[in-house]
Amino acid sequence: PKTGYKVVGPEEVYAALAQGALVVDVRTPEEYRMGHVPGAVNLPLDGIRAWAKTLPKDRPIYLYCRSGNRSRQAAEYLAREGYTNLHQLEGGILAIQRAGLPLVR
């Protein structure tokens, strides 16, 4: 069960970008290069212990991956680390593609 973060859809991620939210792609660098949300930073899940404490706690953070599994793990980890303004993209990049939203390649 989700605790400490909100599950959102693709349109909300893109709207949040325009409002200054931090969007984090937790996929591998190879996956990121194949297509990512404009303005997203690539912080792979396997390095979360190293980068988790570098994220701002005063800014909304939106997490996504390919299908939602890795971003859910990242959201749960960050929530345990005390982050409160967390959002996880349900369905990941696949949901973005289904919604027809633009990706950067």
Side-chain angles (χ1 to χ4, degrees), residues 7-85:
V7 176
V8 298
E11 292 83 3
E12 187 170 335
V13 173
Y14 280 70
L17 268 172
Q19 301 297 318
L22 176 61
V23 177
V24 178
D25 184 325
V26 299
R27 299 175 302 155
T28 66
E30 295 78 22
E31 290 174 295
Y32 179 80
R33 283 192 294 275
M34 291 170 48
H36 58 273
V37 172
V41 296
N42 184 216
L43 299 171
L45 179 63
D46 63 4
I48 194 168
R49 282 185 168 72
W51 58 257
K53 291 181 179 17
T54 68
L55 299 177
K57 289 196 175 183
D58 61 347
R59 188 171 165 199
I61 298 171
Y62 287 74
L63 303 152
Y64 76 92
C65 60
R66 179 182 169 275
S67 65
N69 291 327
R70 286 174 282 180
S71 58
R72 183 175 49 253
Q73 291 174 44
E76 290 169 356
Y77 180 88
L78 293 171
R80 286 193 304 270
E81 292 296 308
Y83 286 85
T84 57
N85 203 349

Side-chain angles (χ1 to χ4, degrees), residues 79-102:
R80 286 193 304 270
E81 292 296 308
Y83 286 85
T84 57
N85 203 349
L86 296 170
H87 306 81
Q88 184 253 341
L89 173 57
E90 184 172 39
I93 203 93
L94 298 174
I96 290 170
Q97 291 171 328
R98 280 193 301 274
L101 295 167

Side-chain angles (χ1 to χ4, degrees), residues 5 21 91:
Y5 64 95

